[in-house]
Amino acid sequence: MFNPNKALLHKIHEVGGFVNAHAHFDRAYTVTEENMEKVVNYHLFDKWKFVDNFKKNADHTIYTNNIMTAVDEQIKQGVVGAMTFVDVDSVCGFKALEAAQEVKKKAAEKGFTLKLCSQALKGVLRPAEDVLLREALQLGYLDAIGGLPRADKDYEQAHLDQILFLGREYGKRVHVHVDQLNNDLEKETELLARRTVYWGMEGRVTAVHGISIAAHNKDYRKEVYKMSRDAGLSFITCPTAWIDSRRSEWLTPTHNAITPVEEMLEHDLVVAIGSDNIQDVYKPFSDGNMHTEVKFLLESLHLYDIEALVKIATKNGRLVIGMEDEAHGDIKVQSRRSGLL
């Protein structure tokens, strides 16, 4: 008897195992009874501020235990590699990043590839944040540079210009949180595509989430896909991370609160998958299980193409986090339109 679930898992195992392309291991397992009662219902932007309390008080041992525990659990769940964003800012300094460096070496001994990307909750434009990010790059602590345009509110383009410039200067991939609020006011993916071409970073930039793309009309979505293809943008969907998007009276095209992956595949875009947060104030019940993420993806989008799902869960993840050989790992760009500049 044919069992689609078994067939999917078997093929994922055959090609090397799951890759978790986006996570936050340094803050994993930090939800408590106290913050479960209130903080988990805060708005996203308020949670960004709340986690400062943890970051101030966490020491090297706490960070190391969180990240190592997350890696061990991922290994048990059949994951062979992951990229974790790690807080690097004026609140926690290099505490989390130095712990992540230690775990990265231990993970490699277990056959697990751990890639590190800077998290930018405090933005990248303020002098203190700029100095820390540049120092982390100079010290060789980072595999990729992370972006969060909303963290530099009203200066989103400058934020992108800064990280794309640094990505070019240091030869690093750039992963950017974009279009997370599930409404048609957000057009961050479009801006990211345009600035990627401007800085000559085609094939080296990945957009994380992209939920709000689905809130736009079809013509705009198609234009974004074309821009993204020309810019060599790849995408990471984190299905359970935004499935809890709140009901509202905002009128948009009918859609699920998830990256419109099925449309992206039709436009030949590279899409990988990640878990995002694990048992913290953002996602208190998440265990980081990549099989769960794939199940949410396929059911919410009616995406039943097993070969496509295997590629999303494995090869594409290796590609966007840099597990593939650098000579072959860049996303191929079909064309470059001067109109994107």
Side-chain angles (χ1 to χ4, degrees):
M1 181 184 298
F2 175 65
N3 183 320
N5 278 307
K6 288 184 178 179
L8 175 61
L9 288 173
H10 177 70
K11 290 192 175 186
I12 288 172
H13 176 73
E14 273 190 328
V15 295
F18 287 104
V19 173
N20 185 348
H22 181 75
H24 295 271
F25 290 164
D26 56 338
R27 282 187 258 118
Y29 315 110
T30 56
V31 68
T32 66
E33 287 188 42
E34 181 181 359
N35 59 43
M36 263 291 289
E37 292 183 7
K38 184 177 181 182
V39 181
V40 293
N41 290 314
Y42 282 4
H43 187 278
L44 173 66
F45 298 164
D46 295 321
K47 289 180 180 179
W48 290 352
K49 298 174 184 176
F50 175 81
V51 296
D52 282 352
N53 296 323
F54 166 74
K55 288 154 61 177
K56 287 176 183 175
N57 297 316
D59 59 19
H60 183 87
T61 299
I62 290 174
Y63 276 123
T64 301
N65 288 342
N66 288 350
I67 302 169
M68 193 74 251
T69 300
V71 168
D72 286 339
E73 287 301 310
Q74 292 280 284
I75 292 172
K76 290 178 185 177
Q77 295 165 359
V79 181
V80 296
M83 175 171 281
T84 179
F85 273 53
V86 180
D87 288 319
V88 182
D89 56 43
S90 53
V91 176
C92 63
F94 288 155
K95 287 191 298 182
L97 195 51
E98 289 172 347
Q101 288 290 323
E102 183 178 315
V103 175
K104 182 178 181 178
K105 294 175 183 176
K106 293 179 180 178
E109 294 172 359
K110 298 182 179 187
F112 186 94
T113 300
L114 182 63
K115 297 287 187 176
L116 307 181
C117 183
S118 56
Q119 171 68 318
L121 282 180
K122 299 300 179 184
V124 297
L125 298 178
R126 300 174 188 86
E129 314 308 335
D130 177 49
V131 168
L132 282 168
L133 178 55
R134 288 172 185 266
E135 186 175 349
L137 288 165
Q138 290 165 5
L139 292 170
Y141 283 170
L142 298 171
D143 297 297
I145 301 170
L148 184 64
R150 284 295 188 101
D152 282 311
K153 192 176 184 307
D154 299 324
Y155 298 94
E156 287 85 353
Q157 180 171 312
H159 179 107
L160 292 177
D161 286 342
Q162 175 78 324
I163 59 176
L164 291 168
F165 164 75
L166 290 173
R168 189 181 69 179
E169 291 298 298
Y170 286 91
K172 300 295 182 182
R173 298 172 185 273
V174 174
H175 283 221
V176 189
H177 294 82
V178 292
D179 291 338
Q180 301 182 78
L181 299 184
N182 196 25
N183 67 60
D184 60 359
L185 293 180
E186 291 193 306
K187 295 185 176 181
E188 292 175 338
T189 303
E190 175 187 347
L191 180 61
L192 179 60
R194 292 182 185 279
R195 301 319 290 173
T196 295
V197 172
Y198 178 87
W199 287 102
M201 283 287 286
E202 294 95 330
R204 305 281 295 171
V205 179
T206 299
V208 183
H209 296 310
I211 308 303
S212 294
I213 297 171
H216 287 274
N217 65 66
K218 190 172 185 179
D219 287 341
Y220 179 78
R221 297 198 307 272
K222 285 183 176 180
E223 189 60 31
V224 168
Y225 302 144
K226 290 177 183 177
M227 289 181 181
S228 298
R229 184 61 183 162
D230 290 336
L233 283 189
S234 52
F235 290 83
I236 298 173
T237 180
C238 301
T240 66
W242 286 97
I243 205 69
D244 58 356
S245 181
R246 305 301 175 87
R247 185 181 303 109
S248 77
E249 299 305 306
W250 200 292
L251 299 181
T252 67
T254 301
H255 65 284
N256 287 320
I258 189 169
T259 318
V261 174
E262 85 287 9
E263 292 185 344
M264 291 177 173
L265 297 182
E266 291 174 2
H267 287 79
D268 201 24
L269 291 167
V270 173
V271 182
I273 192 167
S275 68
D276 210 11
N277 301 80
I278 298 174
Q279 289 182 30
D280 59 14
V281 295
Y282 296 91
K283 300 298 295 183
F285 289 94
S286 173
D287 61 0
N289 192 309
M290 295 310 299
H291 185 210
T292 300
E293 298 297 335
V294 172
K295 286 292 293 293
F296 267 77
L297 176 69
L298 67 89
E299 295 291 10
S300 60
L301 296 179
H302 203 84
L303 180 57
Y304 296 156
D305 182 335
I306 290 179
E307 295 303 323
L309 291 167
V310 170
K311 196 172 180 181
I312 288 169
T314 61
K315 180 180 179 180
N316 289 355
R318 293 196 301 270
L319 181 60
V320 303
I321 74 171
M323 284 178 69
E324 300 287 353
D325 182 86
E326 290 294 324
H328 306 287
D330 289 352
I331 310 301
K332 292 182 180 179
V333 183
Q334 293 290 350
S335 63
R336 176 172 173 172
R337 295 183 179 181
S338 59
L340 290 184
L341 296 178

